[in-house]
Amino acid sequence: MSSVALGIPALRRDPSTAPSMEGRPDSAELVDSFGRVAHDLRVSITSACSLRCTYCMPAEGLPVIPTDELLSAHEIARLVGIGARDLGVREVRFTGGEPLTRPDLVDIIRLSALAAPGVELSMTTNGVGLDRRAAALAEAGLTRINVSLDTIDREHFAAVTRRDRLPAVLRGLDAAREAGLGPIKINAVALRETLPDAGDLLAWALANDVRLRFIEQMPLDADETWRRENLVSAAELLAELGSRFALTEAGREDPSAPAEEWFVDGGPATVGIIASVTRSFCEACDRTRLTAEGTVRSCLFGDDETDLRSLLRDGSSDDLIAQYWRGAMWNKQAGHGINADDFHRPVRSMGAIGG
Ligand code: SAM
Ligand code: SF4
């Protein structure tokens, strides 16, 4: 397995090293040993990107994954189908890297929609190039998008992403709206550099009828510059936003939703805050992840991956693939452990996992 360039740990490939099923109840769904069930599938389809956000990618980008090591559109759709039909997956989100860098993205969506009828297919994107593809993606079966945008100050955007592409992102958002890819959510990482812009970003989101959610920065940057003392916590962000807007607690959309919602100036508009570091929600996690090379990753922070690509390519049945996937999830760890003394960063950075 030549994924060494991305620092990927040893992969499980053959039945003799299949994930342990010891103690697992006889359930078709993706249950884990802590009683959680994964219904939400994140599929990374590339580690390439048009931006270089400092909290995610190195300036030079991640090593290119050779085409034959990436799952093809058909392989992705087959796994999405197995997830939906056999494993209880109810929602699929494509991510990366930047999904829009894949030339066959429309095929991926179209084939996945056919393989998993009735399952919501969404995408997390930086929006660059979305203006040219939003209509075709919607037609292929994409239902919703999340666009990542940390600031609407053009200079600050260029500093954070190392690319002066804010106008392209805004064009992408317009096209997504026209294509009916709503409701559009905006994800913003809470950063020290852009904290003073948070109020402007929220005002912009309210004026443009998009739902804004901030997320605490996690130690998943390729440059390994994350430091706890530099973290903008949910509490600090709330204080910043609270100096300009009246915020009242609105709770979570549902118990497994990572964001705590706040009514802005009495509502009905809300802003969400995902306190992934200071108020971890791991005990309610309902996610399962596939990397672009076709391994199951049960947790963002769990380096132990289970290889499904070899099974896809050696003629294995859907049943066997589903069984490996179940085993991978049964062994999911309890939580990210960022706040523990013995915390170790995962080997892969965010762009190589799929956020
Ligand atoms: N390129 C797409 C994008 O930016 O939306 C999809 C992939 S990106 C890795 C997915 C999400 O992860 C983005 O919303 C991004 O802001 C978030 N992200 C990346 N690095 C992060 C970090 N260190 N902590 C928290 N969120 C992070
Ligand atoms: Fe690219 Fe998304 Fe990572 Fe930014 S957060 S570098 S847009 S993958």
Side-chain angles (χ1 to χ4, degrees):
M1 182 78 51
S2 51
S3 303
V4 176
L6 286 167
I8 296 165
L11 302 177
R12 293 178 162 141
R13 319 186 57 188
D14 67 71
S16 64
T17 56
S20 162
M21 294 288 215
E22 205 183 323
R24 189 182 182 281
D26 183 21
S27 166
E29 295 199 316
L30 295 171
V31 298
D32 72 34
S33 63
F34 299 94
R36 299 167 294 193
V37 188
H39 295 296
D40 180 358
L41 168 60
R42 301 284 152 116
V43 186
S44 175
I45 58 173
T46 180
S47 60
C49 191
S50 46
L51 303 180
R52 296 285 184 272
C53 305
T54 51
Y55 49 78
C56 178
M57 292 253 174
E60 66 279 15
L62 291 169
V64 175
I65 306 174
T67 310
D68 65 334
E69 293 188 14
L70 281 176
L71 293 190
S72 68
H74 284 279
E75 289 170 333
I76 292 168
R78 184 171 166 204
L79 290 180
V80 166
I82 292 171
R85 194 183 53 243
D86 302 330
L87 300 171
V89 165
R90 297 178 191 152
E91 193 182 339
V92 179
R93 173 174 296 276
F94 296 97
T95 180
E98 175 47 50
L100 288 166
T101 63
R102 268 206 60 161
D104 57 351
L105 177 61
V106 172
D107 289 339
I108 292 172
I109 302 294
R110 187 173 48 77
L111 294 169
S112 298
L114 288 172
V119 170
E120 185 168 290
L121 301 181
S122 60
M123 175 172 84
T124 300
T125 172
N126 64 28
V128 174
L130 186 57
D131 54 344
R132 294 188 298 277
R133 299 171 91 183
L137 289 168
E139 204 175 319
L142 191 70
T143 42
R144 281 195 306 110
I145 55 161
N146 284 8
V147 175
S148 303
L149 179 59
D150 306 319
T151 172
I152 45 150
D153 179 291
R154 185 167 173 174
E155 272 180 33
H156 294 176
F157 179 95
V160 168
T161 65
R162 301 185 178 108
R163 299 286 187 273
D164 181 19
R165 304 303 305 275
L166 179 62
V169 177
L170 298 179
R171 282 198 302 276
L173 274 166
D174 285 343
R177 206 180 277 110
E178 269 175 42
L181 291 172
I184 297 174
K185 288 187 184 168
I186 301 290
N187 293 345
V189 179
L191 301 168
R192 185 72 40 212
E193 311 86 283
T194 53
L195 184 58
D197 304 343
D200 284 350
L201 185 61
L202 178 52
W204 170 86
L206 298 174
N208 287 277
D209 198 24
V210 289
R211 293 184 59 185
L212 176 62
R213 299 178 322 168
F214 288 93
I215 180 164
E216 285 178 347
Q217 186 188 349
M218 294 180 279
L220 289 170
D221 58 310
D223 291 337
E224 303 199 4
T225 57
W226 186 94
R227 296 289 175 272
R228 174 172 300 279
E229 53 277 17
N230 219 5
L231 178 75
V232 176
S233 66
E236 191 176 351
L237 183 69
L238 274 174
E240 174 70 26
L241 294 174
S243 68
R244 183 154 157 193
F245 304 91
L247 300 178
T248 44
E249 221 168 329
R252 292 179 197 269
E253 264 185 347
D254 65 71
S256 65
E260 295 175 59
E261 300 288 337
W262 298 78
F263 288 119
V264 183
D265 291 339
T270 56
V271 60
I273 301 189
I274 303 179
S276 25
V277 177
T278 59
R279 282 200 294 273
S280 124
F281 40 86
C282 300
E283 69 284 351
C285 180
D286 67 346
R287 297 213 176 133
T288 181
R289 295 172 188 278
L290 291 172
T291 65
E293 307 96 319
T295 63
V296 179
R297 208 172 156 101
S298 56
C299 171
L300 269 179
F301 288 85
D303 276 331
D304 190 18
E305 298 181 0
T306 299
D307 180 20
L308 300 185
R309 188 183 66 198
S310 303
L311 298 171
L312 284 168
R313 294 183 183 177
D314 71 6
S316 295
S317 65
D318 286 4
D319 282 350
L320 185 66
I321 292 171
Q323 200 59 0
Y324 265 69
W325 199 335
R326 290 186 188 104
M329 293 306 294
W330 174 244
N331 291 288
K332 177 170 171 149
Q333 64 195 46
H336 58 47
I338 300 174
N339 301 311
D341 289 341
D342 60 350
F343 170 69
H344 290 295
R345 295 175 56 107
V347 177
R348 287 187 191 246
S349 58
M350 189 64 126
I353 304 171

